Amino acid sequence: MLALLGRRLVQLVPTLFFVSLIIFGLQQLLPGDPALAMAGEDKDPEVIAQIRARYHLDQPIPVQYLYWIRGVLSGDLGQSIRLNVPVLDLIAQKLPVTLQLAVMAMIFALAIGITAGIVSAVAKGTWVDYLVSVLSLVGISTPNFWLGIMLIFVFAVTLGWLPASGYVSPFEDLWQSLATTIMPAFVLGNAIAGILMRHTRGAMLQALSSDYVRTARAKGLPGRIVVLRHAMRNALTPVITLGALEFGTLLSGAVLTEQIFTIPGFGKLIVDAVFNRDYAVVQGVVLVTATSYIVLNLLADIGYVLANPRLRT
């Protein structure tokens, strides 16, 4: 386990370096000039020159990269050109919102997807299997924006059980925070649940047809023990990978869902930054998102070993 963890940590350094190069390089391809956007309508040449000098926009691109990466290594992701606020402060404000939404969405996805996948595999060929398969296809095919609008209409407008939009921090009011995030979390978790169900079902069917499962049944073990202790543990490996990737996607921000429910998370932050040519914010958010993907893949590798002891060798 320690050797595996050490190898993965060593691989993180060059991976993050190349990711930073890609992020900074692609950023330069965005149309528009941030100095002109920040200068306002007057476009005073002296003001534009001061802006370029302040944010090193008058330097060659390799020099700009060195300034940026030096700041990143020291914990400084730069200054928002439009808001004049440190990027790290913006991320610290938005990340907890998106993190809460992502965790709640994954709870919905795992609870529904894994349970439905196991039930469908055990009941293969029955009406239960077909029903679960149809429901998973509906979940994958349903657009998030449509489902979000329907949930608002039913639970907020018609029944009045939940607020239609907005966000409340759990540190201010836990129950109100759950009330404002449960609908967007279900919208995001719904599609992921359908994907997890299909992968769980396929992995479970393969595990249930294995020799060790037939041996366990021949020994007279109860079906529940065979399914949960023997088959499911070995079937979780592909599900762990998929879950980690989907969680990383949620952390990168769900733009449409956050817009519909007025959630001030990563999605809205990155969209506003792109439209405003706020390079520092775009680079900071994408770097944090890419780093989260890499860390989640590392955790997925560790999860493999914990779920399947045979991989420890």
Side-chain angles (χ1 to χ4, degrees):
M1 172 68 80
L2 292 178
L4 172 65
L5 184 59
R7 289 196 301 270
R8 292 295 185 268
L9 290 176
V10 169
Q11 293 173 0
L12 286 182
V13 177
T15 303
L16 286 173
F17 171 70
F18 285 112
V19 166
S20 69
L21 286 176
I22 293 172
I23 292 172
F24 189 85
L26 292 179
Q27 177 72 37
Q28 305 305 315
L29 299 179
L30 287 178
D33 188 339
L36 293 176
M38 190 177 180
E41 297 181 357
D42 295 336
K43 302 291 189 298
D44 189 341
E46 293 185 2
V47 174
I48 295 175
Q50 291 176 0
I51 293 173
R52 293 186 186 279
R54 179 181 178 184
Y55 295 101
H56 309 293
L57 298 176
D58 56 344
Q59 301 289 334
I61 291 179
V63 177
Q64 294 182 38
Y65 172 77
L66 292 177
Y67 274 113
W68 177 64
I69 201 65
R70 185 179 65 180
V72 170
L73 294 176
S74 62
D76 180 13
L77 297 180
Q79 192 91 355
S80 170
I81 295 178
R82 186 171 182 83
L83 301 176
N84 199 26
V85 175
V87 175
L88 198 59
D89 291 348
L90 289 175
I91 293 176
Q93 293 173 9
K94 305 299 183 182
L95 183 58
V97 179
T98 299
L99 183 61
Q100 178 187 353
L101 196 61
V103 169
M104 293 179 63
M106 284 305 299
I107 290 174
F108 278 119
L110 293 173
I112 298 173
I114 293 180
T115 303
I118 293 173
V119 171
S120 179
V122 173
K124 178 185 176 182
T126 66
W127 66 270
V128 175
D129 182 21
Y130 295 125
L131 177 62
V132 172
S133 298
V134 169
L135 292 177
S136 69
L137 183 60
V138 171
I140 297 173
S141 306
T142 304
N144 285 354
F145 69 89
W146 181 86
L147 181 59
I149 293 173
M150 291 298 102
L151 290 180
I152 291 174
F153 176 75
V154 174
F155 293 101
V157 177
T158 305
L159 300 177
W161 291 354
L162 297 170
S165 61
Y167 173 78
V168 177
S169 172
F171 299 103
E172 297 179 7
D173 189 332
L174 178 59
W175 295 111
Q176 187 64 20
S177 178
L178 294 175
T180 56
T181 52
I182 190 169
M183 285 196 295
F186 179 80
V187 169
L188 294 173
N190 174 68
I192 299 176
I195 299 173
L196 285 176
M197 178 268 160
R198 301 301 301 174
H199 282 75
T200 303
R201 181 182 182 274
M204 282 294 297
L205 287 175
Q206 183 177 1
L208 290 173
S209 62
S210 302
D211 292 337
Y212 65 88
V213 171
R214 284 193 291 267
T215 302
R217 294 185 188 277
K219 290 181 178 179
L221 292 177
R224 177 175 58 85
I225 300 297
V226 173
V227 171
L228 298 180
R229 183 174 297 178
H230 295 276
M232 188 183 74
R233 189 170 185 177
N234 289 279
L236 282 180
T237 302
V239 178
I240 291 173
T241 304
L242 181 62
L245 294 176
E246 293 294 342
F247 189 69
T249 302
L250 292 174
L251 288 181
S252 64
V255 178
L256 286 177
T257 304
E258 290 182 1
Q259 291 287 347
I260 291 172
F261 291 96
T262 321
I263 303 294
F266 254 23
K268 190 175 187 307
L269 178 64
I270 188 67
V271 170
D272 292 343
V274 170
F275 279 115
N276 295 324
R277 308 294 187 269
D278 203 339
Y279 286 1
V281 176
V282 174
Q283 291 171 173
V285 172
V286 175
L287 181 63
V288 170
T289 302
T291 304
S292 67
Y293 266 104
I294 295 172
V295 173
L296 286 170
N297 274 279
L298 173 63
L299 295 178
D301 290 338
I302 297 174
Y304 295 156
V305 178
L306 295 177
N308 191 345
R310 292 179 301 175
L311 297 177
R312 296 174 186 175
T313 57

